[in-house]
């Protein structure tokens, strides 16, 4: 009798252990809103490229983890010289590209030299600006000499634009990407889907999934039925307004996290009357951030008071600098000699946070006497008129690049902001690699921007992820725009 | 007949040439720089200039127009800026979705519209006429994307018979591909069928009041033969004209339906190319569509001659 029970128990345990292994699904269809124009992360700014390939197919020397931390990737470890200008990376051994060729120091040298070359069309060429030269010491060691110390260098090397490519396949990556990641590219049906499959030769911990399909679902109204019908099992970047239809359905999990997208009411700091501090302050006081979040982002998103993600360690809460205060806003306008208000315009690119947010902001500005004419523009028009030619008064856009507070110190940037004190802080930040010191400097920088009311700081764009409740391993936050599926698996 | 054909072809050629100038000029005026769109907000002006040169965007508009038009004449449609593949490859890939979709939708709409039109006309003023024309009115009024969403919720979410959208490609087998096209084709076909049914009915009603119909009836020809043999044939000219217009619409004007069902068709290609300022794709695809519309109109004109023998002898 006793032996029977133990046999049964053993059988039960065996079944319990083995069943999930047999039953777990290994395929996944992920919905993405925009199709990448091509599949080379080193040759374009489109976030959709990284959303398919980053960490899955391509890897860099370092990588950015789920909470924005720098992790080793193709470089196992590194040393930084005393003066902070020489980085020596030790590379992993046994790494192969998906075409079977070996990865070594020459590939690193090739990739970095290509990205910073004279004729490079890398959209983030600025990341490589500090590099003076790259030397392949031996197949497993790379030495990078910098022109000056750069505090964010290791972080920069973790961007999608800094991934390592092979000389043989660099020119064809746009169509047929070949990387070193846990997934290899399988097929791209243009306009429809991109398929990846598990790479057998991966150097690290293999992925759980065998097949991953990124299906392009551009329409927010189509995303909900695609989920409900089971055609698509995950939308890591879901439109906030669709959440209401999924909420309460036990088959799905909704996770709201933070992105690196500071959503701003940008003002042209050189154009009258926005060149007056009081006017910019008045506008900042006129903004009711929660009303904007409720109306433009389905109530999801965190108010911000300066240009830093609340998820970041360096974040300083400055939302109290200009609280919603219509009376104070009117007073400031009066001080600026504009007590009767003025007429202006606000250019709105296509995303719904801008189009919906713009209407709410226009009505909030009307309360203090500012008549803002709403001008909807296409994305290409926005880049041309607002970003390149700075022909605008007000506009709304989310700055999704991570850790990009330095944009305010760039000469000729579309804010037209110029403050030597701020530039000094950023210059010092560039030369600092000690984290505590960096965070302190970042805090100072945030404070200056908030005090100067450079732009109307609105809210941090939320990352709303929706997926089948049986899936786990997706990122909650989006410290970079990516859909890292290397740890995603079905739980039964 | 030959002279008629020659004249038609000459008109078609002139239309094409004019269209190419208009298309090129319009896209020249549209603001937005494809190089800046590709490189985004973090790239310097010098880099954008670099890419512009690599894409062959430097040089005057006249020079670029002549280059483009010359290439078109030798059937070279250029390379996409964003995808960096030949435009013709993109178009053929997309046509593999759009063309079957348009044909299925056209077949569906005809199969629904002609019988309904016939029925309504033959019951003119009676309850059947009122009901079917009421339904047609509704079909014209309901926007097809809304109708599409209803179909998706019914057949994909609730019944789970058909996919909610997407296209697996013909490589996945004929049946899965056809399944994926069924709901979009239906969503496209019904509003078109509603229009076509109304046109068929009114054309038939006109014909049925003609003297020769009364004569045919008077000499004892069965009603059914009068309707199908005499009336329908004579009412077909406006119906065929509308069908020609509808086919052109179904091929190119399906941007909304292709978005709702996320199908990789021609409409989506153009839409995407416009937002990314992939001008060469927009220009070439629009020209192809212009050529298709002209060709369809030509075929419609020629088919009048088939439908109506009297036209065969005109020059």
């Amino acid at each position: 009798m006793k032996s029977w029970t133990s046999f049964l128990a053993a059988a039960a345990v065996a079944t319990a252990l083995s069943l999930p292994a047999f039953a777990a699904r290994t395929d996944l269809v992920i919905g993405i809103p925009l199709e990448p124009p091509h599949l080379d992360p080193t040759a374009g700014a489109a976030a959709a490229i990284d959303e398919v390939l980053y960490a899955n197919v391509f890897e860099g020397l370092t990588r950015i983890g789920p909470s924005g931390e720098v992790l080793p990737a193709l470089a196992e470890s590194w040393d930084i010289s005393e003066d902070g200008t020489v980085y020596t990376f030790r590379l992993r051994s046994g790494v192969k590209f998906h075409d079977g060729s070996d990865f070594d120091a020459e590939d690193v040298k090739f990739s970095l030299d290509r990205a910073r070359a004279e004729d490079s069309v890398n959209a983030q060429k600025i990341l490589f600006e500090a590099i003076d030269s790259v030397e392949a010491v031996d197949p497993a060691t790379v030495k990078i000499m910098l022109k000056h110390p750069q505090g964010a260098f290791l972080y920069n090397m973790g961007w999608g634009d800094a991934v390592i490519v092979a000389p043989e396949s660099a020119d064809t990556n746009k169509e047929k990407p070949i990387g070193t990641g846990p997934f290899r590219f399988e097929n791209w049906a243009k306009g429809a889907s991109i398929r990846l499959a598990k790479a057998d030769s991966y150097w690290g911990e293999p992925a759980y999934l065998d097949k991953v399909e990124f299906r392009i679902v551009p329409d927010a109204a189509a995303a909900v039925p695609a989920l409900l019908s089971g055609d698509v099992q995950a939308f890591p970047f879901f439109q906030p307004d669709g959440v209401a239809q999924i909420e309460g359905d036990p088959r799905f999990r909704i996770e709201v996290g933070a992105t690196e997208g500071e959503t701003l009411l940008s003002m042209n700091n050189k154009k009258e009357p926005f060149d007056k501090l009081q006017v910019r302050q008045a506008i900042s006081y006129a903004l009711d951030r929660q009303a904007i979040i409720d109306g433009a982002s389905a109530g999801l998103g965190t108010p911000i008071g300066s240009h830093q993600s609340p998820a970041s360690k360096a974040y300083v809460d400055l939302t109290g600098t200009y609280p919603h205060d219509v009376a104070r806003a009117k007073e400031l306008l009066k001080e600026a000699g504009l007590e009767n208000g003025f007429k202006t315009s606000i250019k709105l690119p296509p995303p719904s946070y801008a189009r919906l947010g713009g209407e709410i902001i226009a009505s909030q500005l009307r309360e203090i006497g500012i008549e803002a004419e709403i001008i909807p523009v296409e994305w290409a028009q926005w880049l041309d008129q607002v970003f390149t030619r700075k022909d605008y008064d007000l506009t709304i856009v989310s700055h999704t690049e991570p850790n990009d507070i330095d944009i305010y110190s760039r000469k000729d940037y579309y804010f037209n902001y110029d403050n030597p004190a701020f530039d000094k802080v950023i210059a010092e930040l560039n030369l600092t690699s000690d984290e505590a010191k960096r965070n302190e400097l970042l805090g100072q920088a945030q404070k200056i921007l908030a005090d100067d009311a450079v732009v109307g700081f609105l809210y941090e764009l939320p990352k709303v992820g929706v997926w089948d409740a049986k899936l786990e391993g997706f990122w909650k936050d989006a410290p970079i725009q990516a859909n890292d599926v290397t740890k995603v698996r079905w739980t039964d | 007949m030959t002279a008629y054909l020659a004249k038609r072809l000459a008109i078609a050629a002139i239309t094409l040439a004019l269209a190419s100038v208009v298309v090129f000029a319009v896209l020249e005026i549209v603001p937005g720089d494809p190089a800046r769109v590709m490189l985004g907000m973090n790239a310097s002006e010098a880099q954008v200039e670099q890419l512009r040169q690599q894409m062959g965007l430097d040089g005057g508009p006249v020079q670029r127009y002549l280059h483009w038009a010359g290439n078109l004449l030798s059937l070279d449609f250029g390379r996409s800026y964003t995808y960096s593949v030949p435009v013709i490859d993109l178009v053929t890939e997309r046509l593999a979705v759009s063309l079957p979709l348009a044909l299925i939708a056209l077949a569906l709409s005809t199969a629904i519209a002609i019988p309904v039109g016939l029925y309504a006309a033959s019951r003119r003023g009676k309850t059947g006429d009122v009901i079917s024309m009421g339904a047609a009115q509704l079909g014209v009024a309901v926007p097809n994307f809304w109708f599409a969403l209803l179909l998706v919720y019914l057949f994909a979410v609730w019944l789970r018979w058909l996919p909610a959208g997407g296209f697996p490609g013909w490589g996945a087998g004929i049946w899965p591909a056809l399944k994926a096209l069924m709901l979009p084709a239906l969503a496209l076909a019904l509003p078109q069928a509603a229009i076509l049914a109304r046109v068929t009915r009114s054309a038939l009603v006109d014909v049925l009041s003609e003297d020769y119909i009364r004569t045919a009836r008077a000499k004892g020809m069965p009603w059914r033969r009068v309707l199908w043999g005499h009336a329908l044939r004579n009412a077909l000219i406006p119906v065929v004209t509308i069908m020609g217009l509808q086919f052109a619409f179904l091929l190119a004007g399906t941007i909304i339906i292709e978005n709702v069902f996320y199908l990789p068709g021609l409409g989506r290609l153009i839409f995407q190319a416009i937002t990314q300022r992939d001008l060469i794709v927009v220009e070439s695809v629009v020209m192809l569509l212009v050529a298709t519309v002209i060709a369809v109109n030509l075929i419609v004109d020629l088919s009048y001659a088939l439908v109506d023998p009297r036209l065969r002898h005109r020059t």
Side-chain angles (χ1 to χ4, degrees), chain A residues 102-319:
Chain A
D102 288 318
F103 156 84
D104 65 24
E106 287 299 334
D107 297 308
V108 177
K109 180 173 164 53
F110 168 78
S111 301
L112 297 182
D113 285 347
R114 172 173 173 262
R116 64 200 187 90
E118 193 66 37
D119 61 349
S120 154
V121 289
N122 192 302
Q124 312 291 347
K125 199 176 171 183
I126 200 159
L127 295 175
F128 311 94
E129 223 171 34
I131 298 179
D132 185 46
S133 62
V134 183
E135 188 193 330
V137 181
D138 61 60
T141 316
V142 174
K143 208 183 240 178
I144 299 177
M145 269 65 71
L146 302 187
K147 294 174 192 150
H148 50 77
Q150 189 182 42
F153 185 67
L154 287 173
Y155 188 90
N156 288 354
M157 292 300 102
W159 280 56
D161 308 79
V163 295
I164 304 303
V165 297
E168 305 82 39
S169 47
D171 290 336
T172 50
N173 277 341
K174 281 187 170 178
E175 279 293 297
K176 192 176 178 302
I178 291 189
T180 56
F183 289 97
R184 63 181 163 77
F185 166 77
E186 199 171 69
N187 153 275
W188 179 12
K190 292 213 177 63
S193 72
I194 296 161
R195 288 197 175 83
L196 309 181
K198 187 196 266 185
D200 298 321
S201 59
Y202 185 54
W203 56 267
E205 204 182 308
Y208 295 102
L209 299 168
D210 287 334
K211 302 230 170 253
V212 181
E213 178 183 340
F214 290 87
R215 197 172 289 176
I216 297 124
V217 184
D219 194 73
V224 175
L227 265 177
L228 292 176
S229 65
D231 287 0
V232 175
Q233 296 104 40
F235 281 91
F237 292 93
F238 197 67
Q239 291 274 359
D241 35 343
V243 167
Q245 279 174 275
I246 305 288
E247 240 166 4
D249 190 328
R251 289 175 296 166
F252 303 101
R253 174 198 286 277
I254 302 170
E255 283 217 44
V256 181
T259 66
E260 282 287 333
E262 289 80 25
T263 311
L264 311 175
L265 171 67
S266 302
M267 309 185 214
N268 194 340
N269 278 237
K270 278 215 179 95
K271 194 167 173 185
E272 262 188 272
F274 306 101
D275 54 344
K276 291 201 182 78
L277 177 62
Q278 290 107 320
V279 173
R280 298 198 303 268
Q281 287 174 325
I283 290 175
S284 302
Y285 275 120
L287 297 172
D288 178 354
R289 295 179 177 78
Q290 197 55 49
I292 297 165
I293 293 171
D294 289 345
S297 187
L300 304 170
T302 317
I304 51 171
S306 189
H307 197 95
Q308 188 79 22
S309 165
S312 145
K313 285 197 187 78
Y315 174 73
V316 181
D317 185 353
L318 293 162
T319 47

Side-chain angles (χ1 to χ4, degrees), chain A residues 425-443:
Chain A
V425 176
I426 295 299
E428 205 184 331
L429 181 73
N430 273 339
L431 303 180
T432 313
S433 35
D434 175 62
E435 190 167 342
K437 187 82 183 77
R438 281 183 66 81
N439 289 350
E440 193 199 313
L441 288 165
L442 280 167

Side-chain angles (χ1 to χ4, degrees), chain A residues 35 37 45 119 121-124 175 190-191 216 218 222 225-226 228-229 231 245 251 378 380-381 387 399 410, chain B residues 31 38-39 41-42 45 47 50 54 82-85 93-94 152-153 160 163-164 259-260 262 264 268 272 277:
Chain A
E35 176 170 40
D119 61 349
V121 289
N122 192 302
Q124 312 291 347
E175 279 293 297
K190 292 213 177 63
I216 297 124
L228 292 176
S229 65
D231 287 0
Q245 279 174 275
R251 289 175 296 166
E378 268 182 280
Q381 261 177 309
F387 189 76
H399 284 253
R410 283 188 203 162
Chain B
M38 280 182 79
L39 288 177
M41 288 163 64
N42 239 3
E45 199 47 47
Q47 248 190 295
Q50 178 82 37
Q54 288 182 15
T82 37
Y83 285 132
S84 43
V85 292
E93 270 172 25
R94 302 305 175 99
V152 167
Y153 275 96
R160 294 209 175 199
N259 257 315
V260 173
Y262 42 103
R268 269 273 298 291
Q272 226 173 357
R277 290 294 183 276

Side-chain angles (χ1 to χ4, degrees), chain B residues 19-34:
Chain B
S20 76
V21 175
V22 172
V23 167
F24 191 86
V26 166
L27 289 174
E28 227 13 69
I29 297 165
V30 171
D33 173 0

